[in-house]
Amino acid sequence: MRITDETGKLFYVGGVVRDELLGRESFDVDIVFEGNAIEHCSKFGEVVRVNPDFGTVRVNVEGVEIDFASTRSETYPRAGHLPVVDKIGCSLKEDVLRRDFTVNALAKSVKTGEIVDYSGGLNDIRAGLLRVLHDGSFIDDPTRIIRALKFSVRFGFVLEENTRRLQEEYLANINYDTCYKRIKKEIMETFNLNSQEAFERFYDEGIYKLVSPVAIERPEVNVPEIVAAVGVQVPWMVYVGGMDLSRLELTKQEQRVLNDFETLKNTPLDDDFEIYKAFDGTAPETLALYAVWAERRPVERYLQIKDIKISITGDDLLSLGIKPSKQYAEIFDAVLKEKLKNPLMSKDEEVRFLLTL
Ligand code: CTP
């Protein structure tokens, strides 16, 4: 994809500039035009979508869809909620200074390749520091506290001293009238990094209080180890499912994982048979949740015994002259119980055993 610019008003901004400086791959490319992007950038290719309220336009440039944004300034009339656009076509400086951290407030000229740095972002990238652009940043948008954790884990950066103090101040005085959809998005992105450091810091620094004021103690477990052992693909819920998530607007499937976990907490798991019956068919997320937030041992035991299966079937029982009834389930359970004690049992041995019942 090739974009040429003669105006000098087209800039790469945000994550893509930061990631290039860090030598990392970037997943999306944000481009702003200092002025009205809809008027200026629609000529780069076929226009896919226009959003006049935000001054953005999506254009298909040689087969690649690119979002062009107009420079815009924003204000937060209601702290913790989405900002409103103040002015479309403001200066580049105003546009970058409304952002979250200095390292995300860098721009790069498409025409000259020159980096534009209004906030000391280059120095902070070199020093590995996350620094907010003004003292009210977390009050305007508390999701930035979770974003700081995400970036810090992703890049190995630390919070600059004043930013850390502002985080502590905010966490001591949280506004629960906020947009939890955005909080949820950041929680998902942070914990899908599957990082023990993020787990420890989320609870130890009290960041979890953004989601629920109920005090919670972090379990002393290694979560990535459990996630790997159980085989969870998308692990964010394993990291936060021990706390009250009612503010996060969970999907039905997410809620089911939590409900199943609650049920398991009240299920006896005193021997192999009880463990097998309780965990059989349970989603990996629920298993891992149990291991992290309730008890690790029964889950580890389940992973050792889960592949033990009985060989006899309903047809076998029928050919032994046993009529189909709910007795079948009792027989299968009795044989399974025996097989868990003696996993090498052959099918003949299973049949011999069931005839003793
Ligand atoms: N931004 C912000 N405050 C937020 C979210 C985003 O100021 N709560 C700004 C940042 O400047 C960020 C840009 O909007 O760079 C784009 O947001 P997003 O795509 O979430 O951030 P990226 O930095 O691109 O992160 P990622 O690499 O995870 O895509």
Side-chain angles (χ1 to χ4, degrees):
M1 172 265 303
R2 217 163 42 86
I3 300 169
T4 46
D5 173 48
E6 290 312 317
T7 64
K9 291 184 171 183
L10 210 53
F11 298 88
Y12 298 102
V13 278
V16 63
V17 184
R18 173 203 68 211
D19 289 345
E20 188 185 325
L21 289 163
L22 288 169
R24 296 175 69 107
E25 199 185 337
S26 213
F27 298 104
D28 56 3
V29 177
D30 291 314
I31 300 182
V32 295
F33 178 73
E34 192 171 23
N36 188 323
I38 301 174
E39 283 167 17
H40 183 79
C41 303
S42 298
K43 64 178 181 234
F44 289 132
E46 190 195 333
V47 173
V48 181
R49 189 184 303 158
V50 180
N51 185 340
D53 294 341
F54 280 85
T56 57
V57 57
R58 179 171 294 176
V59 183
N60 187 318
V61 185
E62 295 171 14
V64 183
E65 290 190 1
I66 303 178
D67 289 310
F68 294 95
S70 307
T71 41
R72 67 172 189 265
S73 57
E74 294 178 339
T75 45
Y76 288 82
R78 207 169 148 211
H81 289 266
L82 279 178
V84 295
V85 177
D86 227 20
K87 186 178 164 200
I88 289 179
C90 65
S91 67
L92 177 70
K93 186 172 181 179
E94 275 179 280
D95 181 287
V96 294
L97 294 183
R98 72 177 158 82
R99 293 170 185 260
D100 52 0
F101 303 104
T102 60
V103 298
N104 287 341
L106 292 163
K108 180 180 168 177
S109 163
V110 172
K111 184 178 176 191
T112 65
E114 187 194 348
I115 300 286
V116 185
D117 178 10
Y118 291 114
S119 63
L122 275 174
N123 273 340
D124 285 339
I125 284 204
R126 283 188 207 106
L129 289 175
L130 290 163
R131 183 194 307 270
V132 286
L133 292 160
H134 61 93
D135 282 4
S137 188
F138 293 145
I139 297 169
D140 282 348
D141 181 359
T143 64
R144 289 174 174 169
I145 290 182
I146 309 172
R147 286 173 67 80
L149 177 63
K150 175 178 77 176
F151 292 129
S152 139
V153 166
R154 206 197 276 167
F155 305 133
F157 281 16
V158 296
L159 267 64
E160 164 278 330
E161 204 180 317
N162 183 50
T163 302
R164 173 164 294 282
R165 184 182 61 78
L166 294 168
Q167 171 177 308
E168 280 166 16
E169 273 175 15
Y170 186 79
L171 292 175
N173 189 17
I174 295 172
N175 168 17
Y176 285 98
D177 171 21
T178 190
C179 175
Y180 287 97
K181 211 172 159 180
R182 302 170 76 210
I183 298 234
K184 183 181 178 189
K185 175 179 171 278
E186 293 301 338
I187 294 235
M188 290 171 78
E189 287 184 13
T190 303
F191 289 113
N192 283 338
L193 295 173
N194 198 24
S195 148
Q196 179 69 11
E197 186 198 335
F199 177 61
E200 294 181 7
R201 288 186 39 202
F202 186 70
Y203 295 99
D204 299 353
E205 294 178 17
I207 301 173
Y208 74 92
K209 290 189 194 136
L210 291 171
V211 177
S212 161
V214 182
I216 195 149
E217 206 169 311
R218 171 174 64 80
E220 280 297 334
V221 289
N222 185 303
V223 184
E225 226 172 78
I226 291 172
V227 163
V230 176
V232 180
Q233 300 299 322
V234 182
W236 71 273
M237 275 191 82
V238 180
Y239 286 83
V240 293
M243 58 192 289
D244 174 13
L245 300 183
S246 53
R247 288 182 165 85
L248 294 193
E249 282 185 36
L250 298 180
T251 64
K252 279 209 181 88
Q253 204 187 342
E254 289 161 357
Q255 191 58 53
R256 202 177 55 226
V257 169
L258 288 189
N259 294 348
D260 290 351
F261 171 50
E262 284 308 312
T263 308
L264 278 176
K265 281 201 281 189
N266 298 313
T267 307
L269 298 170
D270 296 325
D271 57 38
D272 281 355
F273 181 70
E274 284 180 353
I275 289 173
Y276 191 103
K277 291 296 276 187
F279 289 148
D280 192 27
T282 302
E285 289 81 358
T286 312
L287 274 182
L289 255 181
Y290 192 90
V292 171
W293 294 97
E295 208 190 343
R296 186 171 176 165
R297 223 167 13 98
V299 176
E300 282 174 343
R301 184 62 188 149
Y302 176 66
L303 296 176
Q304 289 165 346
I305 62 178
K306 73 180 175 41
D307 293 327
I308 298 173
K309 309 271 182 228
I310 58 170
S311 308
I312 49 157
T313 64
D315 284 347
D316 296 321
L317 298 191
L318 207 58
S319 58
L320 288 168
I322 307 167
K323 287 208 184 81
S325 72
K326 69 173 187 319
Q327 201 198 353
Y328 272 32
E330 288 165 16
I331 294 172
F332 290 143
D333 275 354
V335 175
L336 173 65
K337 209 168 189 170
E338 192 61 20
K339 192 154 186 174
L340 288 170
K341 287 185 214 150
N342 177 13
L344 298 179
M345 247 177 140
S346 68
K347 185 168 177 177
D348 283 350
E349 285 168 321
E350 287 180 28
V351 172
R352 254 178 276 139
F353 173 78
L354 81 87
L355 291 173
T356 68
L357 292 172

